[in-house]
């Protein structure tokens, strides 16, 4: 045995998942390792016919509060954190009859899995591991003396160590496992923090609501949260899974506009939007942007819906209407259809974090809260954009931010006149947007174009110029930016860079 190798004499084992470890437990016992454990792990090991020293007998303190407090005791953590070369530490162990642990094996409560399952807030919080994460961090800190196995993903190394004569681990193995333990601890804690942040300040009162179905009728669907804190439903059928997705998209989109605005959302993408002085004009011009896609869509206003506008709205079938308020006459008119969903949007805090399940875990990211202003635009062409072009460029850039990638938005006079969203090719997105604008009777001369990401080639500005588009806004950042800039200069087009990409998947 090398001088820095450590023989396992005493092991502390605490597992949520008990499967896949039997062979290692038997090998540890065969090599004379004393095993300490508690709760369900203790029972599982004893069921194998292997003796276990209970943590309760070590600490003289029972497991309390339904198992919430088991291992949090000086006799446990002293045995993990003692330094084998420190005589003072060794004196304390002897005086207080604390065993020196050489191996700590933990499998944490499955927080992320519980979150993904659609469990209630209370059940999710019960799967926040306290003792286990503390054992992992303590063992990792003292890796010179202790080997930590922080996850069932590391049972392969555990089996290797348990099967060696003397059950020895090398310093390199202990250091590597310590690094893995701290990485796991960081990921675990971040998932908890992201959940609490995204759930808002009323997590203790969250409810799990059963929906009619998920995205499709054969899928189950649930909503976890308190919708009533953000919206009030004044009329209509129960909100569906797809309704909620589109409402979320619509609320986020409208939140980027300060002027009086009407927007229409379909399958998560803006398909109509206009900023106007009157609510009625805003509705008419938003609808004109894509009257076909508006059918069955989600409509949102950021100002009160009046009776005149309600009369025009009533001519179209739509799923959901959202506004801060309605006039009495407007509400009476809009309630004429039984299933039409009418909502009011309350003052609310926007969740900072977005969470989605991926593979066997979760992804968390900060919400894209960037909303570029005139001062953020960097002109890269010889021609500067004119006053109306600047306002339209900012307008189009807000819309493309909320469109699924690859996305192109065409705008003119504070109106969305064409968009291509969710295309695998940026060229296809542009051509679709131009074709749609033409089909709906719009003149592209002096319109502007916004792209959610940079142009890898000058083909998009070439196509845009061919249609009459005069100005372009994009993030920039391509190694071939200059090719697009040079083309714009030759054709007298203006182009500005924002430096901020707005991918949306």
């Amino acid at each position: 045995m090398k001088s820095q190798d450590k023989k396992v004499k005493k092991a502390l084992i605490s597992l949520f998942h008990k499967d896949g470890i039997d062979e290692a437990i038997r090998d540890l016992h065969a090599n004379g390792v004393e095993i300490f454990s508690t709760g369900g792990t203790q029972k599982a090991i004893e069921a194998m016919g292997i003796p276990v020293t209970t943590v309760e007998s070590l600490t003289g303190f029972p497991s309390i509060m339904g198992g919430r407090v088991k291992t949090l005791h000086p006799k446990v953590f002293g045995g993990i954190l003692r330094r084998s070369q420190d005589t003072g530490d060794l004196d304390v162990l002897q005086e207080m009859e604390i065993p020196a642990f050489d191996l700590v094996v933990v499998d944490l409560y499955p927080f992320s899995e519980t979150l993904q399952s659609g469990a209630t807030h209370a059940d999710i919080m019960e799967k926040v591991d306290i003792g286990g994460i503390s054992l992992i961090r303590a063992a990792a800190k003292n890796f010179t003396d202790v080997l930590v196995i922080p996850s069932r993903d590391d049972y392969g190394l555990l089996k290797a160590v348990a099967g060696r004569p003397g059950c020895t681990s090398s310093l390199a193995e202990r250091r590597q496992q310590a690094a893995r333990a701290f990485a796991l601890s960081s990921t675990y804690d971040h998932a908890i923090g992201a959940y609490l942040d995204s759930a808002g300040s009323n997590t203790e009162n969250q409810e799990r609501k059963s929906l009619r179905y998920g995205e499709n009728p054969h899928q189950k669907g649930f909503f976890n949260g308190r919708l009533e804190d953000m919206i009030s439903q004044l009329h209509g059928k129960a909100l569906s899974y797809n309704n909620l997705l589109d409402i979320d998209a619509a609320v986020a989109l409208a939140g980027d506009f300060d002027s009086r605005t009407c927007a229409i959302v379909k399958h998560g993408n803006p398909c109509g939007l206009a900023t106007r002085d009157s609510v009625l004009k805003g509705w008419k011009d938003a609808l004109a942007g894509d009257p076909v896609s508006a059918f069955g869509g989600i409509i949102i206003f950021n100002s009160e819906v009046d009776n005149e506008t309600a009369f025009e709205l009533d001519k179209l079938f739509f799923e959901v209407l959202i506004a801060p308020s309605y006039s009495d006459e407007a509400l009476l008119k809009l309630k004429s259809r039984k299933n039409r969903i009418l909502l009011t949007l309350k003052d609310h805090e926007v969740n900072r974090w977005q969470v989605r399940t991926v593979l066997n875990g979760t992804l968390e990211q900060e919400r894209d809260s960037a909303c570029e202003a005139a001062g953020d635009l960097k002109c890269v062409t010889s021609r500067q954009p004119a006053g109306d072009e600047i306002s339209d460029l900012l307008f189009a850039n807000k819309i493309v931010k909320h469109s699924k990638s690859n996305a192109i938005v065409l705008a003119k006079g504070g109106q969305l006149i064409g968009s291509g969203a969710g295309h695998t090719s940026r060229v296809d997105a542009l051509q679709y947007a131009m074709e749609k604008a033409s089909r709906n009777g719009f003149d592209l001369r002096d319109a502007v174009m916004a792209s959610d990401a940079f142009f890898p080639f000058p083909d998009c500005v070439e196509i845009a110029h061919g249609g009459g588009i005069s100005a372009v806004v994009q993030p920039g950042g391509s190694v071939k930016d200059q090719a697009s800039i040079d083309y714009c200069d030759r054709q007298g087009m203006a182009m500005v860079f924002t430096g901020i990409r707005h991918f949306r998947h």
Side-chain angles (χ1 to χ4, degrees):
M1 186 174 73
K2 297 179 181 178
S3 60
Q4 292 182 323
D5 287 354
K6 289 288 182 180
K7 182 176 181 179
V8 177
K9 298 179 181 177
K10 298 183 189 300
L12 177 60
I13 304 176
S14 178
L15 311 173
F16 182 85
H17 295 101
K18 317 300 192 296
D19 55 305
I21 201 171
D22 293 17
E23 180 184 343
I25 296 291
R26 290 191 174 92
D27 285 344
L28 289 172
H29 176 63
N31 276 297
V33 175
E34 184 179 2
I35 297 173
F36 292 74
S37 191
T38 188
T41 308
Q42 169 200 332
K43 294 176 182 176
I45 296 173
E46 288 174 339
M48 297 166 56
I50 294 174
V52 180
T53 300
T54 66
V55 168
E56 290 84 350
S57 67
L58 168 64
T59 63
F61 208 88
S63 172
I64 61 173
M65 299 179 183
R68 277 191 162 201
V69 182
K70 292 180 285 195
T71 57
L72 297 170
H73 195 280
K75 280 200 169 185
V76 174
F77 283 87
I80 298 171
L81 289 165
R82 95 302 173 189
R83 292 157 292 191
S84 62
Q85 303 303 313
D86 188 303
T87 56
D89 285 3
L90 299 180
D91 287 344
V92 169
L93 295 189
Q94 184 174 2
E95 178 185 350
M96 297 188 174
E97 299 181 338
I98 299 174
F101 294 111
D102 316 289
L103 172 65
V104 173
V105 184
V106 175
D107 181 56
L108 296 172
Y109 289 170
F111 175 82
S112 292
E113 291 88 337
T114 305
L115 178 60
Q116 293 172 45
S117 73
T120 64
H121 171 71
D123 287 340
I124 290 169
M125 293 307 296
E126 278 304 307
K127 289 299 184 289
V128 174
D129 205 315
I130 301 300
I133 206 77
S134 301
L135 294 174
I136 285 172
R137 291 178 61 84
K141 176 177 180 177
N142 197 26
F143 70 87
T144 52
D145 289 314
V146 182
L147 173 66
V148 61
I149 303 295
S151 164
R152 57 178 171 171
D153 294 337
D154 298 302
Y155 285 175
L157 176 62
L158 174 63
K159 291 175 183 177
V161 169
R164 293 171 189 165
C167 292
T168 59
S169 65
S170 68
L171 179 60
E173 288 171 330
R174 296 194 299 278
R175 182 188 294 273
Q176 179 185 29
Q177 287 302 110
R180 284 182 55 78
F182 281 119
L184 184 148
S185 173
S186 175
T187 300
Y188 192 83
D189 288 343
H190 181 76
I192 298 167
Y195 162 69
L196 291 174
D197 195 22
S198 66
S201 59
N202 292 315
T203 52
E204 69 276 9
N205 297 318
Q206 278 200 8
E207 301 171 4
R208 188 186 193 211
K209 296 180 176 67
S210 178
L211 305 174
R212 294 198 305 273
Y213 49 79
E215 200 160 11
N216 300 291
H218 65 278
Q219 296 171 268
K220 292 182 180 179
F222 301 91
F223 176 81
N224 296 298
R226 291 176 55 86
L227 276 175
E228 60 270 26
D229 291 343
M230 187 169 178
I231 58 175
S232 293
Q233 183 165 350
L234 308 180
H235 183 71
K237 61 185 178 181
L239 292 168
S240 70
Y241 182 97
N242 292 330
N243 288 157
L244 290 169
L245 289 176
D246 281 341
I247 291 167
D248 180 69
V251 169
L253 172 64
D256 277 348
F257 290 86
D258 297 321
S259 301
R260 184 176 282 114
T261 297
C262 172
I264 307 168
V265 171
K266 190 73 170 288
H267 294 303
N269 286 304
C271 63
L273 195 147
T275 295
R276 295 292 184 261
D277 291 335
S278 79
V279 178
L280 178 60
K281 183 62 172 171
W283 161 243
K284 287 184 175 180
D285 287 352
L287 177 63
D290 191 348
V292 174
S293 295
F295 184 86
I298 308 293
I299 304 167
I300 187 166
F301 291 88
N302 61 2
S303 55
E304 182 172 280
V305 174
D306 55 34
N307 185 42
E308 192 177 16
T309 305
F311 181 83
E312 293 298 322
L313 284 164
D314 193 54
K315 298 176 181 179
L316 179 77
F317 168 73
F318 57 85
E319 280 279 323
V320 180
L321 176 61
I322 312 163
S325 59
Y326 305 84
S327 71
D328 292 341
E329 297 85 354
L331 198 56
L332 185 64
K333 179 65 176 176
L334 292 166
K335 285 182 176 181
S336 62
R337 298 199 185 188
K338 177 182 177 182
N339 289 326
R340 178 183 284 159
I341 298 169
L342 305 177
L343 306 175
T344 55
L345 182 65
K346 302 178 181 180
D347 290 336
H348 61 279
E349 292 185 7
V350 176
N351 287 334
R352 179 186 170 195
W353 289 93
Q354 295 175 310
V355 182
R356 66 200 312 191
T357 58
V358 173
L359 300 176
N360 63 343
T362 59
L363 285 175
E364 298 106 22
Q365 70 165 352
E366 287 184 298
R367 182 179 292 275
D368 183 359
S369 59
C371 191
E372 292 76 51
D376 300 313
L377 305 182
K378 177 185 177 183
C379 185
V380 294
T381 51
S382 299
R383 184 174 81 79
Q384 299 277 336
D388 289 344
E389 285 178 326
I390 292 175
S391 59
D392 276 344
L393 288 168
L394 292 170
F395 175 87
N397 194 58
K398 289 178 181 179
I399 300 172
V400 83
K401 165 189 167 182
H402 294 276
S403 304
K404 293 180 182 177
S405 304
N406 290 312
I408 293 288
V409 162
L410 307 180
K412 186 177 181 179
Q415 180 183 18
L416 171 60
I417 62 173
S419 67
H423 291 267
T424 53
S425 161
R426 198 162 300 281
V427 169
D428 287 347
L430 172 57
Q431 290 176 330
Y432 181 80
M434 293 175 66
E435 188 275 330
K436 177 172 280 193
S438 176
R439 189 192 330 143
N440 290 320
F442 291 104
D443 184 354
L444 288 176
R445 286 177 297 178
D446 299 325
V448 305
M449 172 174 72
S451 175
D452 64 331
F454 65 62
F455 300 124
F457 303 102
D459 45 10
C460 281
V461 292
E462 293 170 2
I463 296 168
H465 174 260
I469 291 166
S470 63
V472 180
V473 59
Q474 57 139 319
S478 168
V479 294
K480 294 186 178 181
D481 274 344
Q482 195 61 46
S484 294
I485 295 170
D486 290 344
Y487 181 86
C488 289
D489 280 339
R490 289 195 299 270
Q491 305 302 329
M493 298 173 70
M495 183 160 65
V496 297
F497 286 1
T498 64
I500 298 177
R501 189 182 72 185
H502 288 297
F503 268 172
R504 184 166 175 257
H505 292 87

